[in-house]
Amino acid sequence: MSDGLDTAEKRGQWSGRWGFILASSGCAIGLGNIWKFPYITGENGGGLFVLIYLACITLIGLPIMLAEVLLGRATQKSPVGAYRDFSAKGSPWVIPGWIGVLTGFVILSYYSVVAGWALHYTWLSLQGGFAGMDAETIGNTFGSVFANGNLNLGWHTAFMMLTIAIVLGGVRHGVERIARILMPLLFVMLLVLLGLAMQSDGFAEAFSFIFSPDASKLTRAGVLEALGHSFFTLSLGMGAMITYGSYLKKKEDIVSASVVISILDTIIALVACMVLFPIIFSYGMEPGAGPGLVFISLPIAFSQMAGGAIWATVFFALLVFAALTSAISMLEVVVSTVIDETRLRRTAATLLCGTAIFLFGIPSALSGTEGFAGKEFKDLTAGIFGEGKGKNWFDTFDYLASNWLLPLGGLMIALFVAWRAGAAAREKGFNEGTRFQNLYVAWLMLLRFLVPIGVVAVLLHALEVI
Ligand code: PHE
């Protein structure tokens, strides 16, 4: 077989530019776009938050994405090897590479639990949805799903098995093939839902909520949340884009590919808002309902809508697809590092890493219970986070990974590529295959100055210094 094959001896490769763009968009577009972005936009009052988020994507996220793809493509290695190849032998710069791998491990372990909720809600929708249920019952459903350890464990197992099965297929025959099927499907489903939302009474109100800036509603914390989310949504700071870049041929244009991926990710996040908010407004729900927006407010709206069960099924299946193409990227980072760093083959590496992540995710699946991962862990961590502010297992690791590990990883990549990597190799890595060589200096300046300052601001915010 040609270079699509990936064994311990031969690295996998995308079939070409579009294979890479679709797989990377699949990696970027996930629960972050459809579940998280709408609810944080709702909580932060819309308009101005969206504007700041767009600025963060363009000025901070995009330069880091380029740095990651460049590092991956130039070295043809996953994060650890990529850092090693671009620095001196024995250099401590491999440490951020390993931290990235660990971050992917941790995020996937609880991401799979949220994806499990999406699977459960798809199942509920298929069975007739929420028709006839009142708002209170639907609200309680979400609470009791989270509290039901066995249910979460079952869906977590199912979702991890699916993820493992795809990654076992390798780069081109697993990851790329599934992205080629699911991503177009996801775009079509979202457009159909957008059509539905546009016909609803709340569309105009929603449109102005999302797009008219209103300074009075935005807090300082909101600004920093916009920045933090731009990392999460573009899958930056843990080496996912390094790994996906490492399967890219040298002749491809990484500048335009990174721009296309960022634009697609942003469009999907905005369209998700344009689907959700009109429905939410039309049925008199609150946009700032928090994490339950997709799992409580939306089902309430669906329960009152003609054909609601069908729309609900489409929506939750879409959420599952988006989550799946992101989850495989996280597993791929861990697996490809193990393949690069040991002599293990893909099958063994995937089964080993997938099982380890599954096991580490079990406490996340049990975090709504009274047991160790839930109530007891909350009491335990109250010693760290302060009295009454204890977090269950799930929240603890989500907090550690999103607030700390991703921004820290992004900062390291920016500093490494901008200041530490050899100037000649960096310039060559950027210029190879692109028509946009004139953007090199602007990109380097952003990466050197604006990006580190922006990221340090997020970290200081998390420390409550600013
Ligand atoms: N970007 C994904 C999302 O929006 C999450 C993700 C983060 C995926 C980091 C891979 C790496 O849901």
Side-chain angles (χ1 to χ4, degrees), residues 162-466:
L162 251 147
T163 307
I164 291 171
I166 297 166
V167 173
L168 275 176
V171 175
R172 193 181 297 181
H173 302 291
V175 177
E176 180 176 328
R177 189 162 61 174
I178 207 78
R180 278 185 184 274
I181 302 168
L182 293 188
M183 295 314 287
L185 216 60
L186 185 144
F187 294 142
V188 171
M189 286 158 101
L190 204 58
L191 281 180
V192 170
L193 285 171
L194 182 64
L196 170 79
M198 284 174 90
Q199 288 166 12
S200 69
D201 305 333
F203 191 72
E205 191 183 346
F207 198 84
S208 91
F209 178 78
I210 303 164
F211 292 109
S212 351
D214 175 358
S216 69
K217 290 193 192 128
L218 191 75
T219 61
R220 207 164 44 128
V223 176
L224 291 155
E225 185 156 26
L227 183 60
H229 185 66
S230 66
F231 279 96
F232 187 82
T233 191
L234 292 178
S235 307
L236 301 175
M238 54 154 274
M241 289 298 164
I242 298 181
T243 306
Y244 275 25
S246 77
Y247 303 136
L248 192 59
K249 292 177 188 134
K250 296 270 167 107
K251 66 173 174 29
E252 308 292 351
D253 179 349
I254 60 169
V255 181
S256 67
S258 303
V259 172
V260 171
I261 297 161
S262 308
I263 290 179
L264 280 176
D265 184 80
T266 308
I267 290 179
I268 299 294
L270 292 176
V271 172
C273 285
M274 286 196 273
V275 167
L276 252 83
F277 289 125
I279 299 177
I280 303 273
F281 283 127
S282 301
Y283 289 90
M285 305 268 117
E286 261 300 306
L293 189 68
V294 154
F295 293 109
I296 300 173
S297 308
L298 205 60
I300 293 175
F302 283 139
S303 75
Q304 300 168 23
M305 191 185 284
I310 298 168
W311 296 116
T313 309
V314 173
F315 179 81
F316 288 112
L318 176 106
L319 202 57
V320 172
F321 292 168
L324 192 58
T325 50
S326 297
I328 56 180
S329 73
M330 295 181 230
L331 181 56
E332 183 60 33
V333 172
V334 185
V335 167
S336 94
T337 305
V338 169
I339 296 176
D340 280 359
E341 299 297 316
T342 69
R343 289 271 103 202
L344 277 190
R345 287 177 178 253
R346 175 167 286 268
T347 310
T350 308
L351 292 175
L352 191 78
C353 301
T355 308
I357 294 169
F358 163 74
L359 292 175
F360 193 75
I362 291 178
S364 282
L366 303 180
S367 286
T369 65
E370 296 286 308
F372 168 72
K375 195 171 167 318
E376 287 174 30
F377 206 75
K378 241 181 176 162
D379 297 340
L380 202 73
T381 51
I384 306 166
F385 297 118
E387 260 331 294
K389 288 192 194 144
K391 297 180 197 296
N392 61 32
W393 179 284
F394 180 116
D395 291 336
T396 304
F397 284 94
D398 180 25
Y399 169 79
L400 284 177
S402 311
N403 285 22
W404 290 98
L405 296 174
L406 286 187
L408 213 61
L411 178 66
M412 288 298 159
I413 284 161
L415 292 177
F416 180 70
V417 173
W419 296 98
R420 184 69 188 74
R426 179 179 54 225
E427 192 163 354
K428 181 163 176 265
F430 185 95
N431 286 340
E432 228 165 4
T434 188
R435 285 171 288 134
F436 301 102
Q437 303 181 350
N438 50 350
L439 294 178
Y440 176 72
V441 175
W443 166 74
L444 188 59
M445 288 302 121
L446 285 177
L447 205 63
R448 284 206 155 152
F449 303 107
L450 193 78
V451 168
I453 292 171
V455 178
V456 167
V458 179
L459 298 181
L460 292 179
H461 163 68
L463 283 171
E464 292 182 12
V465 175
I466 56 169

